[in-house]
């Protein structure tokens, strides 16, 4: 009798991955999780210098590359360049985003709907939502032709719940001047779930799987009072460490999730269940 050793479905040896927003807090974690499993990773970001710096730490399987996900010509060129070099592209992680701002002047807080500027709306949607569409269009079309590939959209717990605006409230400020989590964030993250389902169905015959990961908030030197407030809203009683999504990313990008497509995995310490 021949006993076969179980194959390691998490193994990514020789896979070629692209992580957008790769120079950011979570992008580096996604990239290093894939590299650790054997993948080559293109760390793609508008902050090319930071990508270069990070790739020196992550080793030679981490390749820094300038990519503006909101620029269609640039996305097209970069997708072709990576394909030409490697003859394939296996994994795309749509992770880039503009960190939403809470801009304020003496009379107004610009995060509030009543003052929200169309230019801010356009800029944020262009990266978080349109950028994910554009990268899916070009990188995904290559994967579809290969009849193999994985796209992972990084959403947020706010893809399934509304923001708790009291988290952002400042003492002794009138209600109509309080900062709020901008509407763009919810729209982008909820939109990404629609994009995930659409693409998963659209490319299902091409063996291209598309899923989403919805992380909860990550510890990143937030003020103490914010940490105290948000912890009461999370059943596990704390925000996430930045390394706590690595295994999920690996699962979703590898053959370990071979029967999964169109889904949204929520890892939020339980925030969205209460
Ligand atoms: N950090 C969190 O608490 C948290 C929680 C839930 C979801 N998320 C999501 O995870 C993803 C990563 O978050 P993060 O905390 O690492 O953010 P971050 O701000 O640290 O990183 C975002 C990266 O995107 C890059 N970027 C901005 N515009 C770009 C463009 N046009 N083209 C290419 N790159 C561009 C930035 O340069 C930056 O390096 C985001 O989609 C975010 O919404 C983060």
């Amino acid at each position: 009798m021949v006993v076969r050793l179980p194959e390691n479905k998490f193994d990514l040896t020789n896979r070629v991955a692209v992580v957008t927003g790769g120079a950011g807090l979570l992008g580096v974690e996604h990239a290093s999780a894939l590299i650790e499993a054997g993948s080559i990773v293109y760390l793609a970001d508008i902050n090319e210098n930071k990508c270069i710096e990070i790739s020196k730490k992550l080793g030679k399987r981490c390749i820094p590359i300038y990519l503006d996900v909101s620029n269609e010509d640039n996305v097209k060129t970069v997708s072709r360049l990576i394909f030409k070099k490697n003859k394939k592209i296996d994994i795309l992680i749509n992770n880039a985003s503009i960190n939403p701002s809470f801009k304020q002047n003496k009379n107004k807080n610009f995060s509030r709907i009543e003052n929200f500027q169309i230019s801010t709306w356009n800029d944020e949607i262009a990266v978080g939502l349109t950028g994910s569409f554009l990268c899916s269009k070009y990188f995904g079309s290559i994967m579809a032709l290969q009849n193999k590939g994985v796209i992972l959209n990084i959403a947020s717990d706010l893809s399934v719940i509304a923001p708790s605006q009291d988290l952002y409230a400042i003492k002794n400020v009138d209600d109509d001047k309080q900062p709020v989590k901008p509407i763009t964030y919810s729209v982008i993250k909820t939109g990404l779930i629609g994009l995930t389902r659409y693409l998963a169905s659209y490319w299902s015959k091409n063996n291209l799987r598309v899923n989403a990961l919805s992380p909860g908030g990550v510890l990143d030197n937030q003020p103490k009072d914010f940490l105290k407030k948000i912890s009461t809203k999370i059943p596990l009683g704390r925000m996430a460490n930045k390394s706590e999504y690595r295994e999920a990313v690996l699962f979703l990008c590898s053959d370990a999730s071979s029967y999964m497509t169109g889904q949204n995995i929520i890892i939020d310490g339980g925030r969205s269940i209460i």
Side-chain angles (χ1 to χ4, degrees), residues 21 23-26 45 67-69 95 97 127 154-155 185 189 215-218:
L25 182 72
L26 289 181
D45 204 291
L67 175 68
D68 178 354
V69 298
N95 169 77
S97 72
V127 174
I154 304 299
Y185 196 81
K189 296 310 184 183
V218 180

Side-chain angles (χ1 to χ4, degrees), residues 132-201:
S132 299
F133 159 67
L134 288 175
C135 289
S136 301
K137 174 178 170 182
Y138 288 98
F139 292 98
S141 297
I142 290 171
M143 294 178 192
L145 286 173
Q146 297 167 173
N147 273 312
K148 193 174 185 332
V150 174
I151 297 176
L152 176 59
N153 293 318
I154 304 299
S156 154
D157 52 1
L158 296 191
S159 70
V160 291
I161 55 172
S164 296
Q165 301 296 13
D166 55 320
L167 283 175
Y168 313 97
I170 301 170
K171 273 187 198 141
N172 304 323
V173 170
D174 293 343
D175 281 356
D176 65 344
K177 295 192 181 62
Q178 287 287 356
V180 293
K181 187 79 168 183
I183 187 168
T184 35
Y185 196 81
S186 288
V187 169
I188 290 166
K189 296 310 184 183
T190 310
L192 284 177
I193 307 307
L195 186 78
T196 301
R197 291 199 191 104
Y198 186 100
L199 296 178
S201 155

Side-chain angles (χ1 to χ4, degrees), residues 20-28 30 44-47 50-51 66-71 74 94-100 123 126-128 131 154-158 181 185 188-189 192 213-220 222 239 245:
T20 74
L25 182 72
L26 289 181
V28 180
H30 308 329
D45 204 291
I46 46 169
N47 191 342
K50 193 144 178 234
C51 288
Y66 177 87
L67 175 68
D68 178 354
V69 298
S70 66
N71 178 328
N74 188 219
N94 282 319
N95 169 77
S97 72
I98 292 181
N99 220 342
D123 289 350
V127 174
I154 304 299
S156 154
D157 52 1
L158 296 191
K181 187 79 168 183
Y185 196 81
I188 290 166
K189 296 310 184 183
L192 284 177
L213 173 65
S214 283
V218 180
L219 286 165
D220 189 22
Q222 288 91 347
M239 294 183 84
Y245 302 110

Side-chain angles (χ1 to χ4, degrees), residues 61-62 64 89 94 104 114 146 159 176 215 254 256 258 262 274:
R61 273 190 281 113
C62 182
I89 297 171
N94 282 319
Q104 170 98 36
E114 295 81 354
Q146 297 167 173
S159 70
D176 65 344
S254 68
S258 54
I274 52 173

